[in-house]
Amino acid sequence: MTEPVVRMTAAHVLAHRDGDHMLVSDGEIVYRGARILHAGRGWDGPVDETIDCGDALIMPGFIDLDALADIDHALLDSWATPDLALGQQWSADYFRSRRRDVFDASERAVIREYALSQLLRHGVTTFMPIASETHSSWAETCDDMVEVARIAERLGIRGYLGPAYRSGVNVVDGGRRSVLFDEERGRAGLRDAERFLDYAADHGGDLVHGALLPCRIETLTRELMAATAQLALARDAVVRLHCMQGGVELALLDEWYGMRPVELLEATGLLATRLLVPHGIHLGAPGGGGRQADLRRLAEAGVTIVHCPMTSIRYGAVLDSYDRYRTAGVHIALGTDSFPPDLVRGIDYGTHLAKLADRSLAAGATADYLRSATLGGARALGRTDLGRLQPGASADLIVVDLADFAMGVREDPLRTLTMNGSARDVRRTVVAGRTVMVDGVVLGADQSRLQARAQALFERMRAAYSERDHRRRPPAELFPPTFPDITKTTTPKRYSHDQS
């Protein structure tokens, strides 16, 4: 049976011509099955269905390479005082004798379905997952990721997947930050990651792909980093490793190896792989030396920095700077890394932070950030058919409403969207020709049920921090409210209606 030809029209289409995005007014996208046939104007071929999107923008779906596949912890830890921040790490005692899974496999599946549904609701069509290991007994397994793959296929989102693995965990030991190791667990995690590569390779289809996703650089031994590099080169697999994130990481690597993160990546062979580095903010040594050398080495190796502007600023950091990295030849893609998985807000945060970092209104151009959110991610994955609307590309697209009163007055549709709107203005998400979200409803997901389940699991996750805290403080002390709730702290005074 021949697949139907679908034609979508809108006031604006962000098509792809001559190697870059181009706006088309009163444009159209035509696709059959998973592939785009036409992007622009003047289609004169057959059409089985026409969808008039009206006063809207049709653009490529977002590629989120650090996408939350979990319940977000930023609500709990992005505002902590130094003392409370220590309480949100594992204690050494918890690591040695009491660690456990807060959620069972079925509950983890609910969390993943909730998170992937949120991605589609916010216009993400291709994702690479990130989840916290804090509430696991160790890290993700191959079975966990097989379940993520099943959910991704059912909902209709493309994933580059692999279980997170590590040989160490960040802890508080003797009142200070450290890392404790279980090297055999790290080796077992890499074996699980290889098993998932096999699963993805045998699986077929374009919604499930394998990748190597080790945790943070300071939680891997040099042996595990080197083994990851060897496996990645043998299997031509993308590797994503969180590093250059903060001062603790830099200080630990300097103490253990006398190396900066980039030097350690080179020494272990990871710079020779198809490497993605989320954040990549803290270049050089703890004292600041070697920054330019690190930028140069990242560019020479073809590393992609996965820039997460919204999460970075929530934790008090900024890429210094987006334009400086690009000028040095470093490739940049985008990620969200926390809730909401909103790359429109991420682009808005990023452009304004870039102005601040460079002291220039011209810094961090909207067009460059939109390229990072689409073409930059596609390049990092080695996919010339993603992140663009042109004949032959995958039919991954989103429709953004520009007519809503809350959007305000309009200038350029993309600047208007990124400054005045958000990804909640996405009205339709299409992945490989399959419509998966319409008017805020993710098709195939029971959003009311997922919201209720996610809230209950979040409450359990929040409560479990107390058993890991080195001082065993209750949740109310670890996570005090913005303002006290007087209905919980005092007895409300009763008033009678007949009082004069």
Side-chain angles (χ1 to χ4, degrees), residues 106-373:
S106 65
E107 291 165 335
R108 291 195 296 274
V110 170
I111 291 168
R112 302 306 194 240
E113 182 179 0
Y114 176 76
L116 269 57
S117 297
Q118 292 283 0
L119 293 172
L120 288 172
R121 171 63 188 89
H122 289 82
V124 173
T125 53
T126 298
F127 79 106
M128 187 176 278
I130 175 66
S132 172
E133 303 85 27
T134 302
H135 44 269
S136 298
S137 60
W138 191 252
E140 292 173 322
T141 67
C142 181
D143 288 343
D144 284 332
M145 208 47 49
V146 168
E147 185 62 28
V148 173
R150 290 172 179 158
I151 295 167
E153 285 198 301
R154 177 164 56 81
L155 294 177
I157 186 170
R158 182 183 298 101
Y160 280 76
L161 311 174
Y165 57 93
R166 60 182 177 179
S167 42
V169 60
N170 288 279
V171 301
V172 174
D173 193 7
R176 68 182 291 266
R177 290 283 300 274
S178 183
V179 177
L180 296 179
F181 288 91
D182 184 337
E183 295 187 45
E184 180 47 43
R185 292 297 294 265
R187 287 188 283 269
L190 181 60
R191 292 193 293 270
D192 245 15
E194 184 169 16
R195 279 195 289 273
F196 187 80
L197 288 180
D198 292 336
Y199 169 86
D202 294 341
H203 191 68
D206 187 32
L207 293 186
V208 175
H209 299 266
L212 292 173
L213 308 181
C215 297
R216 303 163 63 108
I217 191 171
E218 76 273 20
T219 66
L220 308 182
T221 61
R222 286 189 64 165
E223 172 199 21
L224 190 58
M225 283 186 262
T228 296
Q230 292 167 8
L231 178 59
L233 292 171
R235 301 291 292 266
D236 191 29
V238 173
V239 181
R240 190 194 64 196
L241 176 61
H242 286 70
C243 65
M244 296 171 270
Q245 293 188 99
V248 172
E249 170 202 324
L250 267 63
L252 288 173
L253 298 187
D254 185 55
E255 176 186 338
W256 297 338
Y257 311 117
M259 290 184 180
R260 306 193 301 272
V262 172
E263 293 173 324
L264 184 58
L265 292 173
E266 185 164 30
T268 55
L270 284 168
L271 276 191
T273 68
R274 297 166 60 194
L275 181 63
L276 283 59
V277 174
H279 308 302
I281 290 172
H282 294 271
L283 300 179
R291 180 179 173 80
Q292 286 304 120
D294 286 354
L295 265 182
R296 184 170 58 253
R297 193 66 194 92
L298 291 171
E300 290 170 350
V303 171
T304 296
I305 296 295
V306 183
H307 179 30
C308 305
M310 188 163 65
T311 297
S312 293
I313 196 60
R314 285 175 168 174
Y315 290 91
V318 61
L319 195 67
D320 188 14
S321 69
Y322 177 81
D323 285 348
R324 190 171 296 124
Y325 279 50
R326 292 179 61 253
T327 299
V330 177
H331 302 291
I332 300 182
L334 293 191
T336 50
D337 190 35
S338 60
F339 190 85
D342 188 333
L343 280 171
V344 175
R345 284 178 67 182
I347 290 168
D348 187 43
Y349 281 38
T351 57
H352 298 306
L353 288 169
K355 296 173 191 177
L356 184 63
D358 285 344
R359 301 293 191 270
S360 169
L361 283 177
T366 299
D368 290 331
Y369 265 90
L370 280 160
R371 292 182 186 107
S372 292

Side-chain angles (χ1 to χ4, degrees), residues 85-104:
L86 286 178
Q88 293 166 14
Q89 303 293 322
W90 283 20
S91 67
D93 172 62
Y94 184 82
F95 170 88
R96 293 186 178 107
S97 60
R98 296 185 293 107
R99 63 191 191 224
R100 70 177 184 91
D101 288 323
V102 175
F103 306 122
D104 64 26

Side-chain angles (χ1 to χ4, degrees), residues 6 25 58 142 190 408:
V6 179
S25 297
I58 301 176
C142 181
L190 181 60

Side-chain angles (χ1 to χ4, degrees), residues 91 93-94 98-100 102 460 463-470 472-473 478:
S91 67
D93 172 62
Y94 184 82
R98 296 185 293 107
R99 63 191 191 224
R100 70 177 184 91
V102 175
R460 194 195 306 171
Y465 277 85
S466 295
E467 64 188 88
R468 297 187 292 266
D469 176 23
H470 65 120
R472 301 288 192 96
R473 286 165 286 187
L478 282 173

